[in-house]
Amino acid sequence: MRPTASDRLAKLVLGGLGALPAGLQRRLGGKPITIDGQVLYPEVQMALRLLNAMPSSDFSEQPLEAARRTIDSEAYVFGKRLPVDRVEELGIPGPAGPIPARSYRHAHSSDSIGTVAYYHGGGWVLGGLESTDAVCRFIAHHLPVTVVSVDYRLAPEHPFPAGLDDALAAYRWIREQPSLGRTVAVAGDSAGGNFAAVIAQLTKDDTPPDFQLLFFPVTDLAHKSASYAKFAEGFFLTEQQMDWYSERYVPDRGQRTDPRVSPLLAEDVSGLAPAHVAVAGFDVLRDEGIAYARRLQDAGVPTTLQVVTGHIHAFTNTTAASRTGTEAFREAIGFLERGLRAARAGAASVGEPAAED
């Protein structure tokens, strides 16, 4: 995607506002917003005040192609394009033809601790390699890993289970590559977090991932938790948008209780890969993400939960404009790093070589 002049200006303005002292951000944002004992971060409230005052950019109110351009534009404006050693375009064999993908390799690849299969957000309807470029770069820049971003098929052209089939095929392909598949984590945000969680369940008995990193994942499309009502509108991701996504991804409501759609509803989640679940405090998806983390913990799965109390959905996409979002993202991938290192150490202890990936 080639950014427009307005995109470049917006990026410059938001970056400048994000660098302001917290006290000044608070004055620009207005009286602190407190819900559930959580206080919206000053920089987030300031940005939301500006966004909510602009003409509607609600994806659910735009033509589909315009919405897809908008999410790429927003990713450029809010994300930072950090340098990595090598970026390579891939074509992964899939059930309906080649799956576009993009790999990001850390500068010190000889010290690699593994590969991360990453699935983008966008409600299964929007997003792609461009919208998640800054996110994947952030991980590959800070950790000695290779990140493979998977551009699965989107609804409504390809409703459930098409995108999931692509996501699973890409994971299995990565596992089969000698240079990639020795230690593999699944990761994703929102709809992509849903895919990562589902893949961890589907592969539990054959080739499970070594770790799962779930950012504000969708875990239950069949029910709406209390956070839907508390954050229905005004905090970036809205209840209306989630309804719009759901209707396009899984138009058959009867399928929404399928664990491949709603991993929280799986009968048994024991024996899954260790996980880190990161959620935003002001997010319609907050409670179902917390519920999934608790479910994993109750089943004996080593799981850590990170609640970024003062932030909103998609804080991983704000590395160019949000100090708190960047700090939370960095904290989350610290758990990923420890999980991959532990997996490699475990493999070495049972006789599998821990040579470079």
Side-chain angles (χ1 to χ4, degrees):
M1 184 200 88
R2 185 182 297 276
T4 65
S6 59
D7 289 338
R8 295 190 183 93
L9 178 60
K11 189 178 185 72
L12 182 65
V13 170
L14 284 169
L17 290 173
L20 293 174
L24 182 53
Q25 290 175 340
R26 173 61 70 201
R27 286 196 290 274
L28 291 172
K31 182 180 178 181
I33 295 175
T34 303
I35 299 176
D36 271 1
Q38 305 172 136
V39 181
L40 197 62
Y41 293 145
E43 61 175 359
V44 178
Q45 187 169 331
M46 174 189 65
L48 282 175
R49 189 174 189 180
L50 291 173
L51 289 173
N52 293 337
M54 296 171 64
S56 176
S57 59
D58 189 329
F59 301 130
S60 65
E61 297 176 352
Q62 298 180 26
L64 187 57
E65 290 307 313
R68 288 174 176 166
R69 287 193 298 271
T70 296
I71 198 172
D72 285 349
S73 175
E74 288 184 352
Y76 166 80
V77 169
F78 286 94
K80 181 179 291 186
R81 198 169 182 269
L82 293 172
V84 296
D85 183 57
R86 188 172 69 190
V87 178
E88 182 181 0
E89 304 297 327
L90 304 173
I92 297 175
I99 303 166
R102 182 180 293 167
S103 70
Y104 302 80
R105 189 175 291 273
H106 186 272
H108 302 290
S109 57
S110 60
D111 299 323
S112 174
I113 58 173
T115 300
V116 181
Y118 198 90
Y119 304 102
H120 66 81
W124 308 279
V125 177
L126 313 176
L129 298 180
E130 293 304 316
S131 69
T132 201
D133 181 72
V135 171
C136 293
R137 284 176 176 275
F138 188 92
I139 298 172
H141 177 85
H142 288 290
L143 300 185
V145 298
T146 295
V147 179
V148 179
S149 177
V150 180
D151 195 11
Y152 52 85
R153 285 173 289 169
L154 298 175
E157 299 95 329
H158 306 286
F160 170 79
L164 176 61
D165 289 345
D166 286 353
L168 180 59
Y171 169 76
R172 294 197 185 282
W173 179 85
I174 290 168
R175 272 297 193 194
E176 294 169 356
Q177 307 310 303
S179 63
L180 297 173
R182 191 165 295 160
T183 308
V184 180
V186 289
D189 57 278
S190 197
N194 170 276
F195 278 172
V198 171
I199 288 168
Q201 291 187 7
L202 293 176
T203 61
K204 179 176 73 170
D205 297 325
D206 48 70
T207 53
D210 296 286
F211 194 81
Q212 45 180 327
L213 175 60
L214 313 178
F215 288 111
F216 27 88
V218 182
T219 66
D220 186 358
L221 273 189
H223 310 91
K224 291 183 178 180
S225 61
S227 55
Y228 263 84
K230 292 174 181 175
F231 310 110
E233 58 182 20
F235 299 101
F236 186 63
L237 179 64
T238 66
E239 180 179 16
Q240 177 177 309
Q241 288 173 343
M242 280 304 303
D243 290 343
W244 186 78
Y245 292 141
S246 301
E247 289 163 5
R248 282 150 184 78
Y249 178 51
V250 194
D252 180 353
R253 290 176 178 267
Q255 291 184 312
R256 296 182 188 177
T257 57
D258 188 325
R260 294 176 299 160
V261 173
S262 300
L264 181 62
L265 305 185
E267 290 186 8
D268 180 17
V269 297
S270 63
L272 295 178
H276 179 70
V277 182
V279 301
F282 289 74
D283 185 0
V284 294
L285 301 180
R286 182 195 66 181
D287 289 356
E288 64 191 76
I290 292 173
Y292 193 64
R294 299 300 187 210
R295 180 107 195 275
L296 294 176
Q297 291 170 340
D298 290 345
V301 177
T303 303
T304 48
L305 172 64
Q306 175 187 8
V307 182
V308 187
T309 56
H311 228 299
I312 57 175
H313 188 81
F315 62 79
T316 52
N317 296 72
T318 64
T319 50
S322 170
R323 288 187 293 257
T324 54
T326 301
E327 291 165 1
F329 195 179
R330 189 69 182 89
E331 179 182 348
I333 65 172
F335 289 94
L336 170 64
E337 179 178 18
R338 290 190 286 276
L340 286 174
R341 290 192 185 279
R344 288 180 65 78
S349 70
V350 296
E352 182 176 323
E356 66 187 52
D357 278 310

